[in-house]
Amino acid sequence: MSEHKIAMVGTPCEIMAASKLQNYTDSPIDVKLGLFCMENFSYRYFGNLLKEHDLKMDDIEKFQIEKGFVFLLLKTKETVKIPLSEAKRIIRKNCEICVELTSETSDISIGSIGSDDGWSTLIIRTKKGEDIVNGAIKQKFIKAKELRESQFKFLNKIAETKINKNLENIEKREFFARPVLYQRNKSDNSINKEISESDFSDLKSNVIDVGACVLCGACEYACPDNLITIDDSKPEIKGKCPHDCHACFTVCPRTFIPEDLRNDSSKALGKFIKVLSVKSLKHAQGQDGSIVTTLLDYLLTNNIVTDALIVDKEDYLAWKPYAKITSDIDEVVKSGGTKYSVCPVFKPLKNMKEEVN
């Protein structure tokens, strides 16, 4: 059992990977804070898109996507907006088969959709999540109010729109014999049999080569022999999988999903206990009300977790995301804000595991 208890922040696919790690391994991840996510962009192609508007990543102070536009707040304090319809061409291909908006297997889901400006929508999904939110309210880290029925309906509608659109994309992919494994309705016994017969070659053919890899790094972290690497591109293997190892295929969020983690597409927001609109009473410099930052502050301050697994941006390469583990609240605050591109979020867990060994 790990001495670390980690609070993780992630998108729906990253949270699904964390949930599979919890299901199949001795994972140090204890609390999952899931983000609302419509899609993510390729960092390289995003840079190319900015060039078309005579901009570069270094010019950007803050990103925001809402109301059909990508809003770019420049360091000059000017705001540039790019139609989301134009930005759609740089969306990562795996996002086109994601059928959840609100990180349904998290403890707490957080996003801006549905709430008033300066507030965040928060979905409590587990008893653990409920205890965290109640504690944060009691200690005046956040304040909360009920989400109005009209706001809830709007959030539900946006989630349904994503599900329906991407179910169509899945159907189109499978018409061309590109399997989308994570959407298969299989029993756990059947899944376990498939897992027992699968290794990296199956992961490569069914996920990586067909544009379904989310670049989360769960495969790299889970590989017991350190054969898999991700260096800002697709996962690659150096060497040959042991005959009896199926770890990478097991934990990938785009391979078969166990029954108790599987998305029910008839429920646009998944299972939940309560939906609230919340506002931070501690922090203001993040995005969407700074709720993620504030909840991490609460968790670390109260020693509920030992560390936070977060995504920051590189100092030497503007807006390039990278994952790190920290227990420093100042670092958590510094990392606030959406990056809109991905990185292998589980790589710091691998580094931590190697240090222990």
Side-chain angles (χ1 to χ4, degrees):
M1 183 68 68
S2 173
E3 64 183 27
H4 294 273
K5 293 180 68 175
I6 293 174
M8 174 193 170
V9 181
T11 60
C13 54
E14 293 165 348
I15 293 296
M16 178 59 79
S19 299
K20 292 186 79 175
L21 285 168
Q22 289 175 320
N23 190 73
Y24 292 110
T25 73
D26 179 20
S27 171
I29 296 168
D30 186 61
V31 176
K32 294 173 292 183
L33 303 181
L35 306 172
F36 294 5
C37 181
M38 287 296 289
E39 64 266 316
N40 263 306
F41 303 104
S42 160
Y43 180 84
R44 179 162 61 90
Y45 290 136
F46 210 148
N48 292 341
L49 177 64
L50 291 178
K51 286 180 183 178
E52 295 174 15
H53 292 266
D54 295 320
L55 295 169
K56 54 185 183 296
M57 287 288 189
D58 284 320
D59 298 328
I60 311 301
E61 182 73 30
K62 182 179 178 181
F63 289 95
Q64 185 83 22
I65 295 180
E66 60 181 3
K67 300 176 181 177
F69 289 92
V70 179
F71 290 91
L72 310 173
L73 176 62
L74 306 185
K75 291 177 180 177
T76 61
K77 304 307 177 184
E78 298 174 87
T79 298
V80 174
K81 63 180 185 179
I82 300 174
L84 195 53
S85 57
E86 181 182 346
K88 289 287 185 184
R89 59 188 166 88
I90 63 168
I91 291 173
R92 301 189 77 242
K93 295 300 180 185
N94 70 81
C95 296
E96 297 175 353
I97 57 169
C98 174
V99 294
E100 58 171 315
L101 173 74
T102 59
S103 297
E104 295 171 26
T105 61
S106 60
D107 295 296
I108 303 168
S109 305
I110 303 130
S112 62
I113 300 172
S115 285
D116 299 325
D117 290 345
W119 291 71
S120 294
T121 300
L122 183 149
I123 304 175
I124 300 172
R125 300 194 180 275
T126 65
K127 178 61 168 61
K128 181 184 292 183
E130 186 174 38
D131 290 343
I132 292 167
V133 172
N134 288 341
I137 293 171
K138 184 177 180 180
Q139 293 188 23
K140 293 184 168 46
F141 278 77
I142 62 174
K143 61 180 178 179
K145 60 184 180 181
E146 294 293 324
L147 200 68
R148 297 191 299 272
E149 184 178 356
S150 61
Q151 294 175 314
F152 179 85
K153 287 182 177 178
F154 178 70
L155 171 61
N156 202 72
K157 181 180 178 182
I158 297 297
E160 285 180 339
T161 298
K162 177 175 180 178
I163 289 169
N164 293 333
K165 180 186 71 172
N166 287 352
L167 283 175
E168 289 181 7
N169 290 336
I170 288 171
E171 187 175 344
K172 289 176 184 176
R173 281 202 184 199
E174 297 212 317
F175 179 78
F176 293 103
R178 296 178 179 177
V180 181
L181 300 189
Y182 92 105
Q183 278 297 291
R184 299 294 169 89
N185 188 19
K186 298 170 73 73
S187 69
D188 283 350
N189 286 338
S190 178
I191 289 173
N192 290 336
K193 183 177 184 302
E194 293 272 7
I195 286 173
S196 70
E197 298 170 352
S198 302
D199 59 15
F200 185 83
S201 63
D202 299 282
L203 185 69
K204 187 174 186 300
S205 60
N206 287 291
V207 176
I208 300 167
D209 290 348
V210 297
C213 175
V214 305
L215 208 68
C216 67
C219 58
E220 181 184 35
Y221 166 69
C223 178
D225 296 305
N226 292 323
L227 298 176
I228 299 172
T229 58
I230 302 176
D231 294 315
D232 201 29
S233 59
K234 297 176 181 179
E236 296 180 352
I237 190 166
K238 298 176 181 178
K240 187 175 181 180
C241 287
H243 176 70
D244 59 348
C245 183
H246 322 285
C248 61
F249 189 88
T250 302
V251 301
C252 174
R254 288 295 181 255
T255 59
F256 303 110
I257 304 296
E259 292 174 281
D260 64 339
L261 298 179
R262 195 172 300 153
N263 303 125
D264 180 353
S265 296
S266 68
K267 298 177 181 177
L269 302 180
K271 297 177 182 177
F272 61 87
I273 296 172
K274 188 183 292 186
V275 183
L276 298 170
S277 189
V278 295
K279 186 178 181 67
S280 175
L281 298 174
K282 292 278 187 177
H283 302 282
Q285 57 269 64
Q287 190 165 313
D288 300 335
S290 300
I291 293 302
V292 171
T293 298
T294 304
L295 289 178
L296 290 175
D297 187 351
Y298 167 77
L299 290 166
L300 290 167
T301 297
N302 287 274
N303 297 313
I304 297 169
V305 299
T306 59
D307 307 275
L309 174 57
I310 56 176
V311 174
D312 202 348
K313 57 183 184 291
E314 296 282 8
D315 293 330
Y316 68 92
L317 196 58
W319 290 99
K320 180 69 173 176
Y322 77 101
K324 68 180 180 182
I325 293 174
T326 183
S327 58
D328 187 332
I329 294 170
D330 289 339
E331 287 194 354
V332 171
V333 172
K334 173 181 171 292
S335 71
T338 307
K339 311 304 182 294
Y340 293 115
S341 54
V342 298
C343 65
V345 70
F346 297 107
K347 191 177 283 288
L349 293 186
K350 177 187 176 183
N351 296 338
M352 187 175 70
K353 183 168 64 174
E354 290 174 348
E355 288 172 6
V356 171
N357 295 334

